[in-house]
Amino acid sequence: MIKPFLQEVAEDLIEKFGTNLQHCAIVFNNKRPSAYMQKYLADMIKKPFFSPSFYTIQEFFATATQFKIADFYLQFFTLHKIYNQLLAEEHMEPISSHKFFPLAKIILSDFTQIDNDLVDAGKLYRDLEDISVINKDFDYLSPEQYQFLAQFWTSYSEGKHKKQQELFIKMWRRMPKLYHKFHASLKEQEYLTNGYVYRHLAEGTDTQRDLPVNFEKGKIIFVGFNALTSAEAKIFTQLQEADQALFYFDADEYYVDDPLQEAGLFLRKNLNQLGLKNVFENKPGLMKTAEHQVNVFKVQGQSAQAKILNNILEDDYAESSEIGSTVVVLADESLLLPALQTIPTNYNGKDIDLNVTMGFALSTSSIFGLADLWFSSQLEITHTGKISYKNVEAFLTHPLTGLSQKMRDKILTALLKENEVEIAHERLLRQSGLFEVFYKKIDSPKHVVPYLLEVLDFILTRLSNAKTLKKIDAELFVKTIQELNRLHDTFGKHIGDEEIQFVIYLVQKSLQAISVPLSGDPLNGIQLMGLLETRNLNFDKVVILGFNEGIIPKSSIGNSFIPDSIRRVYGLPVLENLDAISSYMVYRLMQRAKHINFVYNSLTDEKTTGEASRILKQLEYESGFRFNYHELNLDVKTEAFKEVRIEKKNNIFIQETLQKYLDKKKVLSPSALTQYISNPIDFFFNYIAGIKEPKEVSAVVEANEIGSILHKVMEYFYQDLKKAEITSERIKEKRKQVPALIEKAFNAVMFNHPDKVMEYKGMQKVILSIVDAYVNIIVNQDESQTPFHIISLEQKVEAEISFPLNGKDASVKIFGYIDRVDVKDGVTKIIDYKTGSDKLAFKDVAELFNSDGKHINKALVQTLLYTYAYEQFSGKTFVEPNLYVVKTMAADGVWFKSGRQTLSGEYLEEIKPEFLMELRKKLTELFEAPFFVTSAIEDNYKYSIYKTLFGK
């Protein structure tokens, strides 16, 4: 194995400092390498020793100032306050926090870069102001810099958006003042930003540097740096001149000596331009001399990249190797969960050591889910005083709320029954316990964090007492509570006048950024990390997932108000920097690795281009390494269509259920029969297997509910009128009550509560006016038929129908409700209201029952069944079926027709026995046919909810 970079550094440090090493400070660009460094030092010294101090560069520089470092929120509130002061000076309206927030993020990021790179903020923003200024004052600019600025300005002023432009220019004019006042205000509060600490040190504002090093015996050791900001560069050179620092750069002549290699861009700058001395300057290059075997895996799909890990890591599962021999690097960090699901916990009965240095994001956990639900519930309470059913259901069924199944079911059943789309806040508070804590209303922005802490505290206590707290959840709880307490301190005096909604937004954003390291030993087994965490570390075997263009290097530098041309003039980071940094991180991982595996997604979607990273293309072209290509193709298989037939004969359950109809323990409704005629297999799923659609609370009114509301209105309408003859005058008088009757019917159908008092909104109002239009159509038809008598409304009817079964007589009972029975001129009429697209036309009686035909008329089968049942039940004859299809009755009338013949009088009497004969045949088929089958005509089951079950 080639010696890791840090091991070489450790050996060199022991040689140079011996026991004086304890007086040194070792500074890295991230936290991870210190554990490795300590291990290498311990392995070499082999006895107890005083360790040097380890720092990240931010920690190290922060020790040199007595100020505290301001977190993002303190910076934001300070910036917002000053920005509004500046607006007031210009006699402009103040800007609200939530509008300023996205601006603030960009401004603060720009300020950090300005400080990191020691740019004169006043000059920079003045440059942005006007091209004329460039002409007059900027004689120090080189022609190239001048061109950059001029280019930017002309492209900008040619824009059409004059108003936007003016506002933008005004904002730029504000920037120098904002910058200086912002830093002054933070300083008053005894805070600095991270960037300002760098500037502070670099510009030597305090000549006395309180760095935690004993310079008589030790030095500052900077290890593995690459891209330096101007501030770091200045501090580093000052320290080198004072002979107080040593620099260990992890460099390779392959990319450092070749000016065309962007991987060496920053190292060339550090070594050649800044003149920093690399302790390891004479180390031989490894890129060309060491052996590298490179495998490239092209796979289809995002998570498919993780699935290939098992093939690549098989040897590593078998042997638990020493320090850091294998790493899986996630260039695309969204692959963390797929990778964790792929790598097994043991292999051939042996546990696999896996160390995950990447954090498990709080935002993917159930704890964040609950907090998020709390945020949205609180916003609903604040705005409407009610909570949507969807949110209450999510709360009841959330795994952390710990409600008993019995209690959940009880509450959900009650809410389903009432079809309450929104639940009153007080009603939830009355449930006490967790409900009371969770739904306690936030009255002031200062309550947001404490109330959320109360909720988490309540749940954490209950989970701990029940001993059901998982380790990862416990860590996430602790981290979340810590973060909320920190926010509480920061928010303190700043949020008194903010909107509750905005404070919730800030807390939400803050929680989304939390993650906890998962597990494992940082020195043993397989390491799973992000690309940034690999800095300074070396591994024998490297697997990089997500090696796609646009992911590595990234395709955007982030938002900024400073345009590219000006960034170049002032040496601020530009897009090419990202290319150079990414290339360097990949190359330095490769120079000491024997086995290198690149995995990329070849599918194009909204996230990825489907292209391998340009770094891979460059290596293929220049490096001379041996590349092996593997392509993982996932074949798409479609299952051959299988016809689903349900056998009746050998199925005891089906036989017993059918027998219940024959024994009259079950009755057959007209709709059950028409479902059997249209598509026999639907009858099986619905009436034999009893598979129903789950009921849902919904603000949307389904089509069948409009029908139910209309039926109810017509029942209410004629309730009192049916006592005497119905005349045109009586109908006219009753019409005045229609709007009230519609509301009553709506409440009865939707909420099970006819007398509910409520304010109708949006879609509900639309439904009320549709029903109103339908009622008018029916009442107009009735008015044209006056005078007539109503015999019954919602008449319940039952009748028996006999039919031959296996050579013997059998019978079933049919049962249903007839909407209305009228008598006019001595003729009894059955009236059925329909709100759908039912037709009056039919071909012939045999076709009404043909499951594989296109001429089934469900409405006619139903009304003729009602007619038959009513004749049996009442002893009347010559009863006539009428169909009120509200959408078409004004034009088509209310009588069924075959060709030109209307189904009334003699023709109707001829049809009735024929209908009965065909009905009996169909009943024989229902009980005798060997299978429940699917109709051959797709239209007959177009709207079936069981489609997926019978394979169509």
Side-chain angles (χ1 to χ4, degrees), residues 691-753:
I691 299 170
K692 307 288 180 196
E693 245 186 318
K695 236 183 100 55
E696 279 183 2
V697 169
S698 166
V700 180
V701 181
E702 301 292 339
N704 60 346
E705 288 168 331
I706 293 181
S708 307
I709 296 166
L710 178 68
H711 280 75
K712 266 277 182 261
V713 178
M714 296 317 301
E715 189 187 342
Y716 294 155
F717 187 89
Y718 283 120
Q719 201 78 57
D720 307 328
L721 296 184
K722 70 175 186 182
K723 295 172 185 135
E725 186 178 57
I726 289 170
T727 60
S728 181
E729 289 71 32
R730 293 183 69 211
I731 285 181
K732 276 197 181 83
E733 186 56 35
K734 188 74 177 173
R735 268 187 144 156
K736 294 172 188 165
Q737 295 176 25
V738 167
L741 297 178
I742 292 175
E743 289 186 7
K744 185 178 172 188
F746 182 89
N747 296 346
V749 170
M750 297 305 293
F751 309 113
N752 248 339
H753 189 350

Side-chain angles (χ1 to χ4, degrees), residues 136-315:
K136 277 188 272 172
D137 304 353
F138 285 61
D139 50 354
Y140 63 85
L141 289 182
S142 70
E144 189 189 13
Q145 290 175 319
Y146 178 86
Q147 207 181 337
F148 271 138
L149 286 175
Q151 225 177 18
F152 162 70
W153 202 262
T154 47
S155 67
Y156 185 68
S157 56
E158 278 160 14
K160 297 169 189 152
H161 315 293
K162 272 280 179 273
K163 181 88 182 107
Q164 286 300 84
Q165 226 181 61
E166 281 161 26
L167 287 172
F168 222 43
I169 292 168
K170 276 184 175 166
M171 186 177 82
W172 273 328
R173 283 197 185 125
R174 246 170 253 136
M175 284 300 164
K177 253 189 186 170
L178 182 64
Y179 171 86
H180 292 298
K181 286 193 163 185
F182 165 69
H183 282 309
S185 170
L186 279 180
K187 232 173 176 177
E188 272 168 37
Q189 303 170 62
E190 299 199 347
Y191 280 97
L192 295 180
T193 65
N194 240 323
Y196 205 76
V197 170
Y198 282 35
R199 181 187 279 269
H200 201 65
L201 285 173
E203 293 180 344
T205 347
D206 295 351
T207 39
Q208 182 51 46
R209 279 211 192 99
D210 293 325
L211 293 170
V213 181
N214 175 344
F215 287 118
E216 282 162 25
K217 295 181 179 174
K219 285 192 174 147
I220 308 168
I221 316 295
F222 291 100
V223 180
F225 284 82
N226 175 37
L228 302 178
T229 64
S230 305
E232 287 168 340
K234 196 166 174 189
I235 297 167
F236 282 17
T237 43
Q238 287 169 358
L239 289 168
Q240 181 171 278
E241 278 158 22
D243 196 24
Q244 294 179 330
L246 290 179
F247 300 93
Y248 289 86
F249 291 109
D250 191 0
D252 193 292
E253 59 201 25
Y254 173 83
Y255 48 81
V256 176
D257 295 350
D258 178 355
L260 294 176
Q261 287 285 358
E262 71 266 41
L265 176 75
F266 290 107
L267 289 171
R268 285 193 291 276
K269 206 170 163 184
N270 299 342
L271 302 169
N272 308 339
Q273 278 169 266
L274 298 174
L276 294 175
K277 278 189 71 61
N278 183 6
V279 177
F280 284 167
E281 64 185 328
N282 299 319
K283 287 268 184 218
L286 295 166
M287 276 297 265
K288 279 291 193 197
T289 55
E291 185 198 337
H292 306 285
Q293 187 187 344
V294 187
N295 288 306
V296 179
F297 296 88
K298 174 182 177 181
V299 301
Q300 295 176 339
Q302 192 60 352
S303 352
Q305 298 182 75
K307 297 297 163 219
I308 210 162
L309 275 176
N310 282 343
N311 304 26
I312 303 173
L313 299 177
E314 205 161 347
D315 307 341

